[in-house]
Amino acid sequence: MPVSYSDRIAGLRARMKVTGTDLVAIGPSSQMVWLAGLSPHGDERPVMLLVTQGYAGFLMPALNVDSSRKHTDLPMFAWSDAEGPQAALDELLKACAIDRSNVGVVLDETMRADFALLLLDALPGARRSFTGETVSFLRARKDQDEYRVLKAGAIINDRAMQAGFEALRPGVTELEVAEAIRDAFKSQGAAPLFTSVCFGANGAFPHHHTGGTALKAGEAVLLDIGGRFQDYSSDMTRVAHSGGPGTAFQRIHGIVEAAVDAALAAARPGAPASAVDKAARDVIAAAGYGDHFVHRTGHGLGLDTHEPPYITATEETVLEEGMVFSIEPGIYLPGKFGMRLEEIVILRKDGPEILSELTRAPFLF
Amino acid sequence: MPVSYSDRIAGLRARMKVTGTDLVAIGPSSQMVWLAGLSPHGDERPVMLLVTQGYAGFLMPALNVDSSRKHTDLPMFAWSDAEGPQAALDELLKACAIDRSNVGVVLDETMRADFALLLLDALPGARRSFTGETVSFLRARKDQDEYRVLKAGAIINDRAMQAGFEALRPGVTELEVAEAIRDAFKSQGAAPLFTSVCFGANGAFPHHHTGGTALKAGEAVLLDIGGRFQDYSSDMTRVAHSGGPGTAFQRIHGIVEAAVDAALAAARPGAPASAVDKAARDVIAAAGYGDHFVHRTGHGLGLDTHEPPYITATEETVLEEGMVFSIEPGIYLPGKFGMRLEEIVILRKDGPEILSELTRAPFLF
């Protein structure tokens, strides 16, 4: 995907002006990939990219300078294992030409605590915030190139989900189904990121660890899977049922399906994210299952599987065209099963476009 | 491996007394795995384990409480996506019964910046440090069960290295050799962690990204590989050469081999870590290649591939029996080749025991 990193840094500087930010500090993360095309070796050696209106440069361990140089022309302030990072950071901050005692700094919230505190200790009295209104604000609005990659990734995910469906039979283990899904991602040129396979009551744990549980005849199945294609994530949840779903499963499926539809209808440019959450939550609460919908309705998706905008009861971010996020209400019935249906959408002028082309009806086997 | 987490927390409390620490805060990381046997879903939702002399409990996203409960009996202060973590953190801090305005806090340095600052903002005036003298101090001293797992992992790594050697032939790509190594880890029940395969001049980048480079006849090869076996890491570097090594390669190999021997001889209980670094560095400097040994001599190894003790020019940590660390001097000749030989050792009363059983002589093919 052709990307102009200088355009992205220019866009960041415009947001810095709007938000009163003097300095942005980014760790080795998807934030750095988005802003500078660079994901240096991530270990305990401090690495950061500092950006001001007039300057941008890296703090970089000496042994990573050469391999990082292939990806960026920005200056690097190198430090060796013997020296430690302090002197190089001081030089970099001098080059940034900021007033160290009075700086509005935006910190990459995913940075290691020791990296962040190394910087904050060098900036006494800093007014700090995280990337929500700067880098994350910009990343949340996907461009046409990003849309194309996300759409292609969603179709790959559809096929991986179908491979998971095809692996379902009584006696198969969760791990075996996960392996079939992983193989399907790989054979399509994508890297599997997560393959949550939940049989029966395991589905009632929203973050169940896929394991050796074997499928019993007549059980429900929940599959939440995602892969990485050309640096971008996919994410989708579907359900299946062995031997014909019972009325309870069908009824709960219908409620969650109605919650998805309500959230899709509420997702319009100009609406706060909380309105989408409320639309889904109201449907589930009205059906009497409000206490069983134990998580937010959705999250943004891009280079990260979870990124802004978050679709929660209290998130007032105004949705805009080009934002990509999940809609994934769920109902979890301990000891019985879990039901979650998850779509990834891109917000268009007149509403959400769903990236997946796979039905949300349960796969029956 | 049978582990008593209550013993580990008791050991931590003893170290807290010695170090004047009132509160230890651990994020979802290997620190948490070591201390509580728990590695909760790692995303943007704040998770932490707080330990005081009288209390230990988790801040936990509500949707992970049930799946985490399988691994620990410690109390959990749950928060929902709608509420956010602040109120639950306040309750947890109340249960900890500390003086919030005057607390010596140890922070897991690998914790996300936003998790760490959420806690620090709730503890005005905290005296903070990282885990070096508490959790990391304890983790650095391996017990006999940990030794057994590390030794078994090292032998698996030896076999994976040999699989890499066997895949070498002119025309093969770095990625193909990496795949053979990865398969060898997997077939032995280990998970490949890193497979750095460097052909020719690529070896002169200490953190080269393994890629599509094809091997030419007469080239040097550097392999730095590691896997995870029963939660513990392995790590080893060896070299190989196609078509008979030239005198330059043989001479540089001899220097680095002598540096390894010098470091092994210097590694004794009671010696500072810096003495081991100096022993290796002096050999390489005396041979005229001091400027080409661009990194520290070693790092600890355990649940993490890099953990204390670090073996650097300035690290005054006193080495003790049971510490496990790498000895890996190197010489990097830009445009030509890189030479690094890496052993993992456990320090015994009378010196280091090397875990690998594979010769450091170059593999010739």
Side-chain angles (χ1 to χ4, degrees), chain A residues 155-179:
Chain A
I155 299 305
I156 289 171
N157 196 324
D158 283 356
R159 294 196 199 105
M161 182 66 79
Q162 285 168 309
F165 287 159
E166 283 156 26
L168 293 171
R169 59 177 189 282
V172 73
T173 68
E174 291 175 345
L175 283 168
E176 286 166 349
V177 175
E179 194 60 28

Side-chain angles (χ1 to χ4, degrees), chain A residues 44 64 121 128 207 296, chain B residues 44 64 121 128 207 296:
Chain A
E44 67 285 358
N64 295 337
D121 285 347
R128 63 178 153 78
H207 283 153
R296 63 194 175 200
Chain B
E44 67 285 357
N64 294 337
D121 286 347
R128 64 178 152 79
H207 283 154
R296 63 194 175 200

Side-chain angles (χ1 to χ4, degrees), chain A residues 141 265-276 315-323 325 347-352:
Chain A
R141 290 148 183 78
R268 291 289 180 277
S274 59
V276 177
E315 180 59 59
E316 294 311 312
T317 294
V318 173
L319 299 176
E320 293 185 25
E321 276 188 71
M323 285 185 172
F325 52 89
L347 200 57
R348 301 300 191 187
K349 197 167 64 178
D350 49 0

Side-chain angles (χ1 to χ4, degrees), chain A residues 1 34 136-154 157 227 231-236 264 267-269 273 276 296-312 315 317-328 342-349 351-356, chain B residues 44:
Chain A
M1 202 172 81
W34 186 85
S136 293
F137 177 95
L138 295 165
R139 282 178 61 185
R141 290 148 183 78
K142 269 65 179 179
D143 66 24
Q144 190 58 17
D145 288 325
E146 291 178 294
Y147 164 72
R148 271 193 285 265
V149 171
L150 285 162
K151 175 71 188 181
N157 196 324
D231 288 342
Y232 280 73
S233 287
S234 59
D235 191 1
M236 177 166 52
L264 289 168
R268 291 289 180 277
V276 177
R296 63 194 175 200
T297 294
H299 55 80
L301 178 112
L303 290 173
D304 287 323
T305 309
H306 290 182
E307 60 177 53
Y310 293 102
I311 313 296
T312 79
E315 180 59 59
T317 294
V318 173
L319 299 176
E320 293 185 25
E321 276 188 71
M323 285 185 172
V324 170
F325 52 89
S326 73
I327 288 179
E328 49 176 313
E342 177 182 19
E343 297 287 15
I344 302 295
V345 303
I346 182 166
L347 200 57
R348 301 300 191 187
K349 197 167 64 178
E353 172 192 332
I354 297 172
L355 299 187
S356 164
Chain B
E44 67 285 357

